Amino acid sequence: MNAARMIVPLALAAALTQVPVRAAGPSLQDLVDLSLEQLAAIEVTSVSRRAQPLSEAAASIFVITADDIRRSGATSLPEALRLAPNLQVARNSASGYAISARGFNNAIGNKLLVLIDGRTVYTPLFSGVFWDAQDVMLEDVERIEVISGPGATLWGANAVNGVINVITRPAADTQGSLLALGGGNLERGGAARHGGKIGDQGHFRLYGRVFERDNTRRADGTPVRDAWDRAQTGFRADWGDARERFTLQGDAYHGDLEQSQPRNIRINGFNLLGRWNRQLRDGSGLRLQAYFDHTERDQPGTFREELDVVDIELQHALPATGAHRLMWGGGYRHARDRVDNSAALAFLPADRDLDWANLFLQDEIELRRDLTLTAGLKMEHNTYTGVEWLPGVRVAWRAAENRLLWGAISRAVRAPSRIDREFFIPGSAPFLLNGGPGFRSEISNVVEIGYRAQPSPAVSYSLTAFHHRHDRLRSIEPAPGGGLVLDNRIDGTTSGAEAWGSYRVNASWRLMGGVMLLDQRLRRKPESGDVTGVSALGNDPHHQWLLRSTFDLTPRHEFDLLIRRVGALPEPRVPAYTAVDVRLGWRARRDLELSATLQNLLDESHPEFGAAATRSEYRRGMFLKLLWRP
Amino acid sequence: MHEAARSGACDGAGVKVLIVEDHGALRFALRRRILAEFPGLELIEADSGESAVTMALAEQPQLILMDIGLPRMDGLEATRRIKSRSPGTYVAAVSVRDDPHSRARAHEAGITRFIAKREMGRELGQLLKSLIPRLSEIAKTAGKSQR
């Protein structure tokens, strides 16, 4: 690792530990894992936009806890997402990930909404996520809520197949200092954080994090120039009381990614978010949030982009009136996108201003003490297609204590992005491929039914069956001039099931397993000439499963195991694989933890995504980590 | 569907084409463009000169679409190595540079057809229309004679 980069977290830690604040020691929650009862009582916010116990959430939601992340040995956000059995996570280069839920996985996937502390991390270039630009200090993550299935009624267009909501801890829960250092044969990194108090009712934390990952290799051992390093710093401040709370947080980052072109890819960005929560006298709750997000991506030979996003949203949760519990809100987002095109590709016009505005209303109706119906409607306006209506209805029946049967019918929309309308290959005419000026929104109508239960203090599980009917999916059609144009001439269905469960064998041993089954039936519409579109869209495994074991060998020693099995991808073909990760943790002192993680133990390397000739393999790795909370 | 495929004249069956292009977006567009017109042909891909040589010698494609401006081993050097071992392979170059000197160097390396990248949209179609049916016919004939 570049020594100068390594110094950043060390210096930050050293400097911050000199700050004269009344810092608390590490919270007990930092150090112990959650019991199943605690897990069921975890409050989630992604399903209904208000805090509710996980056991009452009428959706296919899986929660990755802070302890799950710690005991997985994950070193980055995408790697932590592998813990969710309802997500497909595949890596095809040092920094490249394809992540989705319920299929349509792609390096530029566009049916998943990702939020980090309420900030939508989304590029209007392709309605997806540049995963190399997203990072959080994993030690400060409280939980990651992963919903598979649509969340459009509350979260808007693009929450078609799922929502990932990364939630970091309040500053009050990250008091004191923390230093994390780690290194292995494939990557190295370090992070430092310090939290303190602001007056009587406020808390803050500052953090810095760096890491670097080495070049990857092809199946034949050929090295690929895709090594990258990244540095990020940020802060969070919370203050107020139960009646009124403020949050101000921000991050800034820089990354450098090698590529086969002469110059490296450079990414930079910063964001600033403010949130105000107020409990009003009438018992209602008001939430106002605004953020600014600036990102830069200079990808020599491909494009250069500067994107500024301003987003503001208001949410008002009214007090329960009779059987009704109403919530309404609205939001506005403006994106200013500036692109420098290349000979290879172009976005035309290069510069674009885009606007989104939405209003939503949701009513939770208590039909009986044990039966709740939640009906919601979102109206969202976007620059390309105007108004989109996103309705959803959910029913939850608490059949008994700790048993919930739920069902949902939803309509989700994937609104066009710049790539759908304004994308051209090569960068100047005549074009081989161009965006479709008439490209419309993709539509998914979804039916789900699920059951969640905790039949005993030691056992909990969740089962979901789903059926998505898709229309107007993206196709690439032959155009009269001999080129290709994007259109909406593929439809079809995806059906399947998701299940996971947890079993506490005894006080020191917990098992967790999950499985996803997927059946995709996509087809060209009769008027379509896209002969490869169906296979390109549906390049997903028919099944995947994972099994985790977390075992406390002694009060100070941990042995953790993660086994993941992912079925074969059809086209480009990727063979099925099984990956095994093992972690050994040792709490040397109350404030010091050491761990060793062996990743991908079974094979030297395996591919996870992409065409054989151009994809990298995911290699066996070892990572040693020191975690110090002085 | 493109004309050739619609007419049923030739879908490219029996023809193997290697696309050598280090830029993922261009590789993607070339793949989809070629398969839209000739869905029956077999497409393989390489993103470097080194892997192009390896794949060309192992897979024996009848047509190679070769990007000249590849890092490390460029398309000219890759073509020389391929042609020295497999002289019958048809190599068409795709190049950002389009000047007499570049064209002359391409021909010296063994490249049969030179396509400027800015003209790729038009010239690629012409090349495919003229070449794929011929290569497909040759492949069919060879298949019959082997039987």
Side-chain angles (χ1 to χ4, degrees):
Chain A
M1 167 169 281
N2 182 329
R5 289 190 189 286
M6 202 65 202
I7 286 167
V8 174
L10 294 170
L12 183 66
L16 291 176
T17 48
Q18 304 306 312
V19 177
V21 292
R22 284 173 291 154
S27 72
L28 195 62
Q29 205 61 70
D30 288 341
L31 303 174
V32 299
D33 58 355
L34 297 170
S35 69
L36 286 182
E37 294 89 334
Q38 287 172 307
L39 198 60
I42 280 182
E43 291 200 327
V44 295
T45 54
S46 305
V47 177
S48 59
R49 271 188 177 256
R50 65 173 179 82
Q52 63 181 147
L54 174 61
S55 58
E56 294 178 11
S60 183
I61 178 169
F62 182 84
V63 177
I64 302 170
T65 66
D67 205 61
D68 289 337
I69 296 171
R70 184 182 68 82
R71 297 190 73 152
S72 73
T75 56
S76 65
L77 180 57
E79 292 296 327
L81 294 176
R82 291 184 189 274
L83 297 171
N86 53 344
L87 279 183
Q88 295 164 245
V89 179
R91 186 171 148 193
N92 67 348
S93 71
S95 59
Y97 285 89
I99 300 177
S100 77
R102 298 186 182 175
F104 299 100
N105 206 12
N106 195 303
I108 52 168
N110 55 23
K111 293 177 179 57
L112 194 64
L113 183 75
V114 182
L115 299 131
I116 298 178
D117 280 336
R119 177 172 54 90
T120 299
V121 293
Y122 158 92
T123 171
L125 287 182
F126 62 88
S127 291
V129 177
F130 282 117
W131 285 103
D132 54 16
Q134 314 309 331
D135 198 14
V136 289
M137 185 151 164
L138 289 176
E139 290 78 7
D140 288 346
V141 171
E142 182 174 281
R143 66 185 186 277
I144 303 174
E145 299 179 8
V146 179
I147 296 178
S148 43
T153 305
L154 289 178
W155 299 105
N158 304 319
V160 176
N161 276 12
V163 178
I164 296 175
N165 198 353
V166 181
I167 297 159
T168 67
R169 297 174 192 207
D173 293 348
T174 53
Q175 294 293 281
S177 298
L178 178 148
L179 178 69
L181 293 172
N185 61 327
L186 302 177
E187 61 184 275
R188 290 147 290 281
R193 175 254 286 159
H194 185 77
K197 293 192 87 171
I198 310 169
D200 290 336
Q201 291 191 321
H203 299 85
F204 74 92
R205 69 165 173 261
L206 302 169
Y207 77 90
R209 169 173 153 83
V210 295
F211 87 90
E212 68 167 14
R213 199 175 273 173
D214 295 339
N215 283 330
T216 56
R217 288 184 197 161
R218 296 270 156 77
D220 62 3
T222 311
V224 179
R225 277 199 65 195
D226 61 355
W228 68 310
D229 58 71
R230 199 177 187 288
Q232 180 162 316
T233 185
F235 74 98
R236 174 168 172 162
D238 303 292
W239 64 97
D241 52 28
R243 193 178 61 86
E244 186 169 35
R245 282 178 288 125
F246 297 91
T247 295
L248 186 67
Q249 63 185 106
D251 312 275
Y253 64 88
H254 169 80
D256 206 79
L257 296 79
E258 291 186 23
Q259 60 167 352
S260 61
Q261 303 281 332
R263 286 195 296 124
N264 289 351
I265 299 167
R266 294 195 168 208
I267 54 174
N268 294 290
F270 63 88
N271 61 75
L272 187 66
L273 178 145
R275 190 181 308 117
W276 173 58
N277 285 285
R278 172 81 192 250
Q279 287 300 123
L280 302 178
R281 285 205 181 108
D282 63 2
S284 66
L286 209 54
R287 180 178 179 273
L288 180 66
Q289 176 185 283
Y291 65 78
F292 174 73
D293 197 348
H294 173 80
T295 57
E296 293 177 32
R297 172 173 294 267
D298 183 8
Q299 201 157 330
T302 304
F303 71 102
R304 183 178 184 284
E305 185 203 19
E306 281 192 31
L307 173 67
D308 292 315
V309 175
V310 177
D311 185 290
I312 184 163
E313 66 174 48
L314 174 74
Q315 175 181 311
H316 187 197
L318 298 165
T321 310
H324 295 267
R325 195 178 203 178
L326 277 168
M327 180 189 289
W328 69 275
Y332 171 74
R333 182 184 304 161
H334 177 78
R336 180 178 178 274
D337 196 29
R338 300 289 178 264
V339 175
D340 293 336
N341 294 313
S342 69
L345 58 86
F347 289 89
L348 300 172
D351 300 338
R352 195 70 150 105
D353 284 71
L354 298 162
D355 297 280
W356 297 263
N358 74 78
L359 280 172
F360 76 89
L361 176 68
Q362 175 181 273
D363 189 7
E364 284 183 53
I365 308 162
E366 195 174 277
L367 300 174
R368 291 192 325 225
R369 272 183 64 83
D370 59 348
L371 189 64
T372 306
L373 183 145
T374 305
L377 176 66
K378 175 167 252 188
M379 181 201 73
E380 186 167 280
H381 183 277
N382 72 79
T383 304
Y384 291 116
T385 60
V387 173
E388 301 285 358
W389 297 95
L390 308 163
V393 177
R394 290 181 185 273
V395 180
W397 176 40
R398 286 176 297 282
E401 186 71 17
N402 292 325
R403 289 170 203 267
L404 185 81
L405 179 67
W406 62 271
I409 301 174
S410 328
R411 179 182 192 266
V413 159
R414 206 275 294 176
S417 60
R418 297 201 64 189
I419 207 170
D420 299 306
R421 293 257 185 141
E422 301 161 358
F423 184 56
F424 296 84
I425 300 177
S428 56
F431 301 109
L432 273 178
L433 181 149
N434 53 272
F439 189 92
R440 295 177 293 164
S441 294
E442 299 177 334
I443 293 172
S444 294
N445 292 307
V446 183
V447 180
E448 300 169 280
I449 185 162
Y451 183 67
R452 180 179 293 116
Q454 190 186 341
S456 81
V459 176
S460 71
Y461 62 89
S462 169
L463 311 168
T464 305
F466 58 86
H467 179 74
H468 293 226
R469 181 172 291 280
H470 308 285
D471 191 21
R472 305 197 316 223
L473 295 174
R474 186 164 68 200
S475 60
I476 302 180
E477 304 292 335
L484 302 168
V485 63
L486 301 190
D487 209 325
N488 301 83
R489 297 185 187 174
I490 293 177
D491 60 16
T493 62
T494 48
S495 308
E498 294 151 343
W500 54 82
S502 190
Y503 172 47
R504 182 170 285 280
V505 181
N506 54 43
S508 55
W509 187 18
R510 182 181 157 212
L511 293 169
M512 199 288 287
V515 63
M516 184 275 293
L517 305 170
L518 186 67
D519 178 34
Q520 286 176 312
R521 291 167 194 259
L522 305 179
R523 62 176 182 217
R524 284 190 285 153
K525 293 189 176 190
E527 66 273 24
S528 173
D530 185 355
V531 292
T532 52
V534 166
S535 60
L537 275 182
N539 191 26
D540 298 292
H542 290 303
H543 71 276
Q544 65 176 36
W545 57 260
L546 64 80
L547 181 65
R548 281 183 63 210
S549 163
T550 55
F551 185 47
D552 296 332
L553 297 166
T554 74
R556 290 182 155 213
H557 296 86
E558 299 166 334
F559 175 72
D560 304 316
L561 179 71
L562 171 63
I563 306 172
R564 292 184 298 116
R565 173 73 179 175
V566 180
L569 306 188
E571 184 59 41
R573 180 162 175 76
V574 176
Y577 66 88
T578 305
V580 175
D581 298 346
V582 173
R583 174 183 171 275
L584 280 167
W586 174 40
R587 197 164 294 140
R589 297 192 320 227
R590 187 172 180 277
D591 61 348
L592 183 68
E593 180 186 295
L594 302 168
S595 63
T597 306
L598 296 169
Q599 297 155 327
N600 196 25
L601 206 57
L602 286 189
D603 53 19
E604 178 61 31
S605 69
H606 65 257
E608 295 190 345
F609 198 80
T614 55
R615 70 188 175 215
S616 290
E617 299 242 323
Y618 188 64
R619 291 168 57 200
R620 182 180 294 146
M622 186 193 67
F623 195 81
L624 302 174
K625 185 176 176 182
L626 175 151
L627 191 61
W628 181 41
R629 302 171 203 256
Chain B
M1 200 176 286
H2 269 288
E3 232 172 276
R6 235 192 332 257
S7 67
C10 172
D11 69 352
V15 180
K16 193 183 284 187
V17 176
L18 170 62
I19 299 173
V20 186
E21 169 61 61
D22 64 329
H23 203 291
L26 277 170
R27 214 166 47 236
F28 168 81
L30 283 168
R31 179 173 68 240
R32 298 297 287 261
R33 169 67 183 83
I34 294 168
L35 289 175
E37 190 157 7
F38 299 103
L41 61 71
E42 183 183 352
L43 262 186
I44 50 178
E45 298 173 24
D47 64 353
S48 68
E50 294 86 344
S51 60
V53 174
T54 305
M55 291 192 76
L57 298 178
E59 300 281 338
Q60 294 290 313
Q62 292 102 316
L63 169 63
I64 300 176
L65 293 174
M66 178 74 78
D67 179 21
I68 298 285
L70 298 168
R72 298 186 305 273
M73 183 192 294
D74 68 14
L76 296 179
E77 179 57 27
T79 303
R80 278 187 208 101
R81 294 191 188 192
I82 293 166
K83 295 290 273 190
S84 70
R85 303 271 298 275
S86 181
T89 307
Y90 190 108
V91 183
V94 181
S95 174
V96 176
R97 289 187 181 173
D98 181 21
D99 54 75
H101 180 63
S102 300
R103 284 178 178 263
R105 288 185 64 212
H107 288 300
E108 279 168 20
I111 285 164
T112 314
R113 178 83 174 255
F114 188 95
I115 298 173
K117 258 188 184 163
R118 61 187 165 76
E119 296 296 334
M120 190 165 51
R122 181 169 42 243
E123 289 201 24
L124 179 68
Q126 293 169 358
L127 172 72
L128 296 175
K129 273 190 179 64
S130 65
L131 196 61
I132 299 296
R134 270 166 43 207
L135 293 174
S136 184
E137 198 55 42
I138 292 167
K140 277 181 197 162
T141 310
K144 278 177 193 163
S145 64
Q146 276 177 5
R147 282 200 296 273

